[in-house]
Amino acid sequence: MHQSTFALSLFVGAVVAFQCSSFNTTVSVSAPSYQPAFAPFANHYQSVALLNVVTARDASTGASPFKGAINVVETFSISAEYCTPTANQHPAHLDVQILTHGLGFDKSYWKFGGDSSQYNYVRAATDAGYATLSYDRISNGGSTVVDPYTIQQAPMQLAVLEVITSRFRNGTIHSSVPKPSGKVFHVGYSYGSILSHALVASNPSLSDGIVLTGYSTNTTWVGEFLISTNFHLAKENEPQRFGNRSTGFVTWADELANQYIFFSHPHFDPAVLAYAETHTYPFSVSEVLTGGVVPYNAANFTKPVLMISGDADLIFCGSDCHGILEQAAPLFPAAKPFETYVQPDTGHGMNLHYNASGTYAVILDFLKRNT
């Protein structure tokens, strides 16, 4: 009932002009697996103890939480959705955006609130004439749930994005998805921006341009995010949804912690915060701790790059993004162009604020100007 009321209050009178095909696809990937130097948590006291260690003032010079890496080969089922404008009868000729979500969400972040929602990025993108391909990163949404200690790590998530992109480009991702003849862009959010950035650093030919939302390359304040979650064990925090999950899956405590991390008051609807809190997904300790091991030097990427974050982004800007995003420019020396934009009245959860449509307009204008 709560979800229906939310939908009616926000989306009355909206017109849906896109169509989507949902599917699962099997991907096989090879990537380094960093072996934890800590034992799997037996209880929440141990997860908080690790949090103490990795956020201590000497953490950068202390012992690594990992004892080395081994290469592993894994196969996953990935849940994805391909959307096109309803009016377009030749979707293969559309430019396409591959959308990668962040921590705490699944791919529904890109269609937040449903098809007719004012917060629905897919709706804005298809209205602008793009097709979109969104997917659930491993252990989120309808994708395979994996070991959060040894498999759900940044290199494995990056490998999944690389395979999805390659198979989409060669027309083998699924029978319902045509091989594209237009350009293929990557749009990421938060951790999804880390992966999109790493994609063009490791394999620049796979993308025709990237948009990195809710992101900067300054990690000074990531510890504040970690501390704010208190590494709550997801199986204890939400036993009805995640009671069967490993202790390596963690989350934040409640709606107020969600607000602290993702929202800028008073620039959001409290109903949006409540809805977001009931649709969260846990993240793995290891994917957070391996975020820095993927490549970031995108010296060979010559395509367009837009980095856009909310002015009050806590995680990547310490709640003030002015003068922060530009620091990434040396990592994209050949990008044409490299642009940054700070969206006013917006926290880390860019799609969840009143002016989400303004964020979408900046992104879509950038892509149109650089197509």
Side-chain angles (χ1 to χ4, degrees):
M1 180 63 71
H2 173 75
Q3 182 174 346
S4 297
T5 301
F6 172 81
L8 287 174
S9 66
L10 293 180
F11 317 133
V12 171
V15 176
V16 177
F18 62 92
Q19 55 194 2
C20 299
S21 172
S22 298
F23 58 93
N24 275 63
T25 187
T26 301
V27 301
S28 294
V29 298
S30 174
S33 168
Y34 287 79
Q35 303 300 292
F38 57 94
F41 308 138
N43 51 56
H44 56 254
Y45 303 111
Q46 293 179 359
S47 66
V48 174
L50 179 66
L51 178 62
N52 289 144
V53 171
V54 299
T55 58
R57 66 186 178 94
D58 62 349
S60 62
T61 58
S64 170
F66 299 97
K67 54 188 178 183
I70 60 173
N71 199 70
V72 298
V73 177
E74 296 284 334
T75 299
F76 311 119
S77 176
I78 300 297
S79 175
E81 186 173 64
Y82 181 68
C83 299
T84 61
T86 303
N88 193 292
Q89 301 302 312
H90 303 285
H93 298 296
L94 297 174
D95 291 337
V96 183
Q97 300 178 30
I98 297 181
L99 312 176
T100 305
H101 65 85
L103 300 182
F105 298 92
D106 64 355
K107 66 178 178 294
S108 66
Y109 171 81
W110 300 107
K111 293 175 67 178
F112 187 86
D115 285 354
S116 302
S117 167
Q118 68 194 67
Y119 303 97
N120 185 333
Y121 178 76
V122 170
R123 176 187 170 196
T126 52
D127 281 351
Y130 293 92
T132 63
L133 177 66
S134 59
Y135 71 100
D136 291 327
R137 294 187 297 101
I138 49 176
S139 296
N140 293 277
S143 293
T144 301
V145 178
V146 304
D147 186 309
Y149 293 107
T150 61
I151 302 301
Q152 190 167 337
Q153 299 182 354
M156 193 66 71
Q157 299 277 23
L158 172 59
V160 170
L161 176 56
E162 289 177 335
V163 171
I164 286 174
T165 302
S166 296
R167 289 184 53 198
F168 174 68
R169 279 187 169 276
N170 64 31
T172 63
I173 192 168
H174 193 264
S175 59
S176 66
V177 180
K179 180 179 179 179
S181 61
K183 292 188 175 182
V184 177
F185 300 108
H186 288 79
V187 180
Y189 165 62
S190 192
Y191 201 87
S193 290
I194 291 176
L195 299 177
S196 300
H197 180 171
L199 175 78
V200 299
S202 62
N203 201 334
S205 65
L206 284 180
S207 186
D208 294 309
I210 59 172
V211 176
L212 309 175
T213 77
Y215 178 64
S216 81
T217 54
N218 191 322
T219 60
T220 302
W221 305 277
V222 171
E224 294 186 28
F225 160 66
L226 299 180
I227 293 168
S228 70
T229 72
N230 263 328
F231 276 6
H232 278 251
L233 302 186
K235 65 184 302 175
E236 295 180 0
N237 183 269
E238 291 194 70
Q240 290 186 327
R241 295 182 67 200
F242 306 119
N244 63 346
R245 293 266 185 131
S246 160
T247 55
F249 290 104
V250 296
T251 187
W252 50 85
D254 53 28
E255 183 178 292
L256 295 181
N258 193 332
Q259 178 187 335
Y260 175 77
I261 299 165
F262 293 100
F263 290 81
S264 175
H265 183 76
H267 309 298
F268 64 90
D269 186 334
V272 169
L273 171 58
Y275 183 88
E277 179 61 20
T278 60
H279 290 74
T280 59
Y281 275 87
F283 56 94
S284 87
V285 169
S286 287
E287 72 181 325
V288 170
L289 299 181
T290 58
V293 304
V294 293
Y296 286 94
N297 184 357
N300 295 322
F301 189 64
T302 61
K303 306 297 177 57
V305 176
L306 172 65
M307 187 173 293
I308 175 171
S309 293
D311 60 345
D313 189 301
L314 167 74
I315 298 177
F316 287 103
C317 301
S319 298
D320 182 2
C321 273
H322 294 95
I324 298 294
L325 306 189
E326 298 86 345
Q327 296 171 12
L331 296 173
F332 299 97
K336 297 178 181 178
F338 173 83
E339 295 184 10
T340 64
Y341 187 86
V342 175
Q343 179 70 2
D345 300 332
T346 302
H348 182 64
M350 301 194 71
N351 292 17
L352 313 182
H353 288 74
Y354 285 130
N355 63 358
S357 60
T359 298
Y360 303 162
V362 173
I363 294 170
L364 296 168
D365 174 71
F366 174 83
L367 292 178
K368 288 295 185 186
R369 287 189 288 107
N370 293 285
T371 297

Coordinates of all heavy atoms in Angstrom, one line a residue, residues 165-216:
T165 N 29.6 -5.3 -22.0 CA 29.8 -4.3 -23.1 C 30.2 -5.0 -24.3 O 29.7 -4.7 -25.4 CB 30.8 -3.2 -22.6 OG1 30.4 -2.6 -21.4 CG2 31.0 -2.2 -23.7
S166 N 31.2 -5.9 -24.2 CA 31.7 -6.6 -25.4 C 30.6 -7.4 -26.1 O 30.4 -7.3 -27.3 CB 32.8 -7.5 -25.1 OG 33.9 -6.7 -24.6
R167 N 29.8 -8.1 -25.3 CA 28.7 -8.9 -25.9 C 27.6 -8.1 -26.5 O 27.0 -8.4 -27.5 CB 28.2 -9.9 -24.9 CG 29.2 -11.0 -24.6 CD 28.7 -12.0 -23.6 NE 27.4 -12.6 -24.1 CZ 26.5 -13.2 -23.3 NH1 26.8 -13.4 -22.0 NH2 25.4 -13.6 -23.8
F168 N 27.4 -6.9 -25.8 CA 26.3 -6.0 -26.4 C 26.8 -5.5 -27.7 O 26.1 -5.4 -28.7 CB 26.1 -4.9 -25.4 CG 25.2 -3.8 -26.0 CD1 23.8 -4.1 -26.2 CD2 25.6 -2.6 -26.3 CE1 23.0 -3.1 -26.8 CE2 24.8 -1.6 -26.8 CZ 23.5 -1.9 -27.0
R169 N 28.1 -5.1 -27.8 CA 28.6 -4.5 -29.0 C 28.6 -5.5 -30.2 O 28.4 -5.1 -31.3 CB 30.0 -4.0 -28.8 CG 30.1 -2.6 -28.1 CD 31.5 -2.1 -28.1 NE 31.6 -0.7 -27.7 CZ 31.5 0.3 -28.5 NH1 31.2 0.1 -29.8 NH2 31.6 1.6 -28.1
N170 N 28.9 -6.8 -29.8 CA 28.9 -7.8 -30.9 C 27.5 -8.5 -31.2 O 27.4 -9.4 -32.0 CB 30.0 -8.8 -30.7 CG 29.8 -9.7 -29.5 OD1 28.7 -10.0 -29.1 ND2 30.9 -10.1 -28.9
G171 N 26.5 -8.0 -30.4 CA 25.2 -8.5 -30.7 C 24.8 -9.8 -30.1 O 23.9 -10.5 -30.5
T172 N 25.6 -10.3 -29.1 CA 25.3 -11.6 -28.5 C 24.9 -11.6 -27.1 O 24.9 -12.6 -26.4 CB 26.6 -12.5 -28.6 OG1 27.7 -11.9 -27.8 CG2 27.1 -12.6 -30.0
I173 N 24.5 -10.4 -26.6 CA 24.1 -10.4 -25.1 C 22.7 -11.1 -24.9 O 22.5 -11.7 -23.9 CB 24.1 -8.9 -24.6 CG1 24.0 -9.0 -23.1 CG2 22.9 -8.1 -25.2 CD1 24.2 -7.6 -22.4
H174 N 21.8 -11.0 -25.9 CA 20.5 -11.7 -25.7 C 19.8 -11.5 -27.1 O 19.9 -10.5 -27.8 CB 19.7 -11.0 -24.6 CG 18.5 -11.9 -24.2 ND1 17.2 -11.6 -24.7 CD2 18.4 -13.0 -23.4 CE1 16.4 -12.5 -24.2 NE2 17.1 -13.3 -23.4
S175 N 18.9 -12.5 -27.3 CA 18.2 -12.5 -28.6 C 17.2 -11.3 -28.7 O 16.9 -10.9 -29.8 CB 17.4 -13.8 -28.7 OG 16.5 -13.9 -27.6
S176 N 16.8 -10.7 -27.6 CA 15.9 -9.6 -27.7 C 16.6 -8.2 -27.8 O 15.9 -7.2 -28.0 CB 15.0 -9.5 -26.4 OG 15.8 -9.2 -25.2
V177 N 17.9 -8.2 -27.8 CA 18.7 -7.0 -27.9 C 19.5 -7.0 -29.2 O 20.3 -7.8 -29.4 CB 19.7 -6.9 -26.7 CG1 20.5 -5.6 -26.8 CG2 18.9 -7.0 -25.4
P178 N 19.2 -6.0 -30.1 CA 19.9 -5.9 -31.4 C 21.4 -5.5 -31.2 O 21.7 -4.8 -30.2 CB 19.1 -4.9 -32.1 CG 18.5 -4.0 -31.1 CD 18.2 -4.9 -29.9
K179 N 22.2 -5.9 -32.2 CA 23.5 -5.3 -32.2 C 23.5 -3.9 -32.6 O 22.9 -3.5 -33.5 CB 24.3 -6.1 -33.3 CG 25.8 -5.6 -33.4 CD 26.5 -6.4 -34.5 CE 28.0 -6.0 -34.6 NZ 28.7 -6.7 -35.6
P180 N 24.1 -3.0 -31.8 CA 24.0 -1.6 -32.0 C 24.8 -1.1 -33.2 O 25.9 -1.7 -33.5 CB 24.6 -1.0 -30.7 CG 25.6 -2.0 -30.2 CD 25.0 -3.3 -30.6
S181 N 24.3 -0.2 -33.9 CA 25.1 0.4 -35.0 C 25.5 1.9 -34.7 O 26.3 2.5 -35.4 CB 24.3 0.4 -36.3 OG 23.1 1.2 -36.2
G182 N 24.9 2.4 -33.6 CA 25.2 3.7 -33.1 C 26.3 3.7 -32.1 O 27.0 2.7 -31.9
K183 N 26.5 4.8 -31.4 CA 27.5 4.9 -30.4 C 27.1 4.2 -29.1 O 25.9 4.1 -28.8 CB 27.9 6.3 -30.1 CG 28.6 7.0 -31.3 CD 29.2 8.3 -31.0 CE 30.0 8.9 -32.1 NZ 30.6 10.2 -31.8
V184 N 28.0 3.8 -28.3 CA 27.8 3.1 -27.0 C 28.4 3.9 -25.9 O 29.7 4.0 -25.8 CB 28.3 1.7 -27.0 CG1 28.0 1.1 -25.6 CG2 27.6 0.8 -28.1
F185 N 27.6 4.6 -25.1 CA 28.1 5.4 -24.0 C 28.0 4.6 -22.7 O 27.2 3.7 -22.6 CB 27.4 6.7 -23.9 CG 27.5 7.6 -25.1 CD1 26.4 7.7 -25.9 CD2 28.6 8.2 -25.4 CE1 26.5 8.6 -27.1 CE2 28.7 9.0 -26.5 CZ 27.6 9.2 -27.4
H186 N 28.7 5.0 -21.7 CA 28.6 4.4 -20.3 C 28.3 5.5 -19.3 O 28.9 6.6 -19.3 CB 29.9 3.7 -19.9 CG 30.1 2.4 -20.7 ND1 30.7 2.4 -21.9 CD2 29.9 1.1 -20.3 CE1 30.8 1.2 -22.3 NE2 30.3 0.4 -21.4
V187 N 27.2 5.3 -18.6 CA 26.8 6.2 -17.5 C 26.8 5.4 -16.2 O 26.2 4.4 -16.1 CB 25.4 6.8 -17.8 CG1 25.0 7.7 -16.7 CG2 25.3 7.5 -19.1
G188 N 27.6 5.9 -15.3 CA 27.7 5.3 -14.0 C 27.2 6.2 -12.9 O 27.1 7.4 -13.0
Y189 N 26.9 5.5 -11.8 CA 26.5 6.3 -10.6 C 27.4 5.7 -9.4 O 27.4 4.5 -9.1 CB 25.0 6.1 -10.2 CG 24.7 6.6 -8.8 CD1 24.9 7.9 -8.4 CD2 24.2 5.7 -7.9 CE1 24.7 8.3 -7.1 CE2 24.0 6.1 -6.6 CZ 24.2 7.4 -6.2 OH 24.0 7.8 -4.9
S190 N 28.1 6.6 -8.7 CA 28.9 6.3 -7.6 C 29.8 5.1 -7.8 O 30.8 5.2 -8.6 CB 27.9 6.0 -6.4 OG 28.6 5.9 -5.2
Y191 N 29.6 3.9 -7.2 CA 30.5 2.8 -7.5 C 30.4 2.4 -8.9 O 31.4 1.9 -9.5 CB 30.0 1.6 -6.6 CG 31.1 0.6 -6.4 CD1 32.1 0.7 -5.4 CD2 31.2 -0.5 -7.2 CE1 33.0 -0.3 -5.2 CE2 32.2 -1.5 -7.0 CZ 33.1 -1.4 -6.0 OH 34.1 -2.3 -5.8
G192 N 29.3 2.6 -9.5 CA 29.1 2.4 -11.0 C 30.0 3.3 -11.8 O 30.4 3.0 -12.9
S193 N 30.2 4.5 -11.3 CA 31.1 5.5 -11.9 C 32.6 5.0 -11.8 O 33.4 5.2 -12.7 CB 31.0 6.9 -11.3 OG 29.7 7.4 -11.7
I194 N 32.9 4.4 -10.6 CA 34.3 3.9 -10.4 C 34.5 2.8 -11.5 O 35.6 2.8 -12.2 CB 34.4 3.2 -9.0 CG1 34.4 4.3 -8.0 CG2 35.7 2.4 -8.9 CD1 34.4 3.8 -6.5
L195 N 33.5 1.9 -11.7 CA 33.7 0.9 -12.7 C 33.7 1.4 -14.1 O 34.5 0.9 -15.0 CB 32.5 -0.1 -12.5 CG 32.5 -0.8 -11.2 CD1 31.2 -1.7 -11.1 CD2 33.7 -1.6 -10.9
S196 N 32.9 2.4 -14.4 CA 32.9 3.0 -15.8 C 34.2 3.7 -16.1 O 34.7 3.7 -17.2 CB 31.7 4.0 -15.9 OG 30.5 3.3 -15.7
H197 N 34.7 4.4 -15.1 CA 36.0 5.0 -15.2 C 37.1 4.0 -15.4 O 37.9 4.1 -16.3 CB 36.3 5.8 -13.9 CG 37.7 6.5 -13.9 ND1 38.0 7.4 -12.9 CD2 38.7 6.4 -14.7 CE1 39.2 7.8 -13.1 NE2 39.7 7.3 -14.2
A198 N 37.1 2.9 -14.6 CA 38.1 1.8 -14.8 C 38.0 1.1 -16.1 O 39.0 0.7 -16.7 CB 37.9 0.8 -13.6
L199 N 36.7 1.0 -16.6 CA 36.5 0.4 -17.9 C 37.3 1.1 -19.0 O 38.0 0.5 -19.8 CB 35.1 0.4 -18.3 CG 34.7 -0.1 -19.7 CD1 34.7 -1.6 -19.7 CD2 33.3 0.4 -20.1
V200 N 37.3 2.4 -19.1 CA 38.0 3.2 -20.1 C 39.4 3.3 -19.8 O 40.2 3.6 -20.8 CB 37.3 4.5 -20.4 CG1 35.9 4.4 -20.9 CG2 37.4 5.5 -19.2
A201 N 39.8 3.1 -18.6 CA 41.3 3.0 -18.3 C 41.9 1.7 -18.7 O 43.0 1.7 -19.2 CB 41.5 3.2 -16.8
S202 N 41.1 0.6 -18.6 CA 41.7 -0.7 -18.9 C 41.4 -1.1 -20.4 O 42.2 -1.8 -21.0 CB 41.0 -1.7 -18.0 OG 39.6 -1.8 -18.2
N203 N 40.3 -0.6 -20.9 CA 39.9 -1.0 -22.3 C 39.2 0.2 -23.0 O 38.0 0.1 -23.2 CB 39.0 -2.2 -22.2 CG 39.0 -3.0 -23.5 OD1 39.2 -2.4 -24.6 ND2 38.7 -4.3 -23.5
P204 N 39.9 1.2 -23.4 CA 39.3 2.4 -23.9 C 38.5 2.3 -25.1 O 37.6 3.1 -25.4 CB 40.5 3.4 -24.1 CG 41.7 2.5 -24.2 CD 41.4 1.3 -23.3
S205 N 38.7 1.2 -25.9 CA 38.0 1.1 -27.1 C 36.5 0.6 -26.9 O 35.7 0.6 -27.9 CB 38.7 0.0 -28.0 OG 38.7 -1.3 -27.4
L206 N 36.2 0.2 -25.7 CA 34.8 -0.3 -25.5 C 33.8 0.8 -25.3 O 32.6 0.5 -25.4 CB 34.8 -1.2 -24.2 CG 35.4 -2.6 -24.3 CD1 35.3 -3.3 -23.0 CD2 34.7 -3.4 -25.4
S207 N 34.2 2.0 -25.1 CA 33.2 3.1 -24.9 C 33.4 4.3 -25.8 O 34.6 4.6 -26.1 CB 33.3 3.6 -23.4 OG 32.2 4.5 -23.2
D208 N 32.3 4.9 -26.2 CA 32.3 6.1 -27.0 C 32.2 7.4 -26.2 O 32.1 8.5 -26.8 CB 31.2 6.0 -28.1 CG 31.5 4.9 -29.1 OD1 32.6 4.8 -29.6 OD2 30.6 4.1 -29.3
G209 N 32.2 7.2 -24.9 CA 32.0 8.4 -24.0 C 31.5 7.9 -22.7 O 30.7 7.0 -22.6
I210 N 31.9 8.6 -21.6 CA 31.4 8.2 -20.3 C 30.8 9.4 -19.5 O 31.3 10.6 -19.7 CB 32.5 7.6 -19.4 CG1 33.7 8.5 -19.3 CG2 32.9 6.3 -20.1 CD1 34.8 8.0 -18.3
V211 N 29.8 9.1 -18.7 CA 29.3 10.1 -17.8 C 29.4 9.5 -16.4 O 28.9 8.5 -16.1 CB 27.8 10.5 -18.1 CG1 27.3 11.4 -17.1 CG2 27.7 11.1 -19.5
L212 N 30.1 10.2 -15.5 CA 30.4 9.7 -14.2 C 29.6 10.6 -13.2 O 29.9 11.7 -13.0 CB 31.9 9.8 -13.9 CG 32.8 9.1 -14.9 CD1 34.3 9.4 -14.6 CD2 32.5 7.6 -15.0
T213 N 28.5 10.0 -12.7 CA 27.6 10.8 -11.8 C 27.9 10.4 -10.3 O 28.2 9.2 -10.1 CB 26.1 10.6 -12.1 OG1 25.7 9.3 -11.6 CG2 25.9 10.6 -13.6
G214 N 27.6 11.3 -9.4 CA 27.8 11.0 -8.0 C 29.3 10.5 -7.7 O 29.5 9.5 -7.0
Y215 N 30.3 11.3 -8.2 CA 31.6 10.7 -8.2 C 32.6 11.8 -8.3 O 32.4 12.9 -8.9 CB 31.7 9.8 -9.4 CG 33.1 9.2 -9.7 CD1 33.6 8.3 -8.8 CD2 33.9 9.5 -10.8 CE1 34.9 7.7 -9.0 CE2 35.1 8.9 -11.0 CZ 35.6 8.0 -10.1 OH 36.8 7.4 -10.3
S216 N 33.8 11.6 -7.7 CA 35.0 12.3 -8.0 C 36.2 11.4 -7.7 O 35.9 10.2 -7.3 CB 35.2 13.6 -7.0 OG 35.7 13.2 -5.8

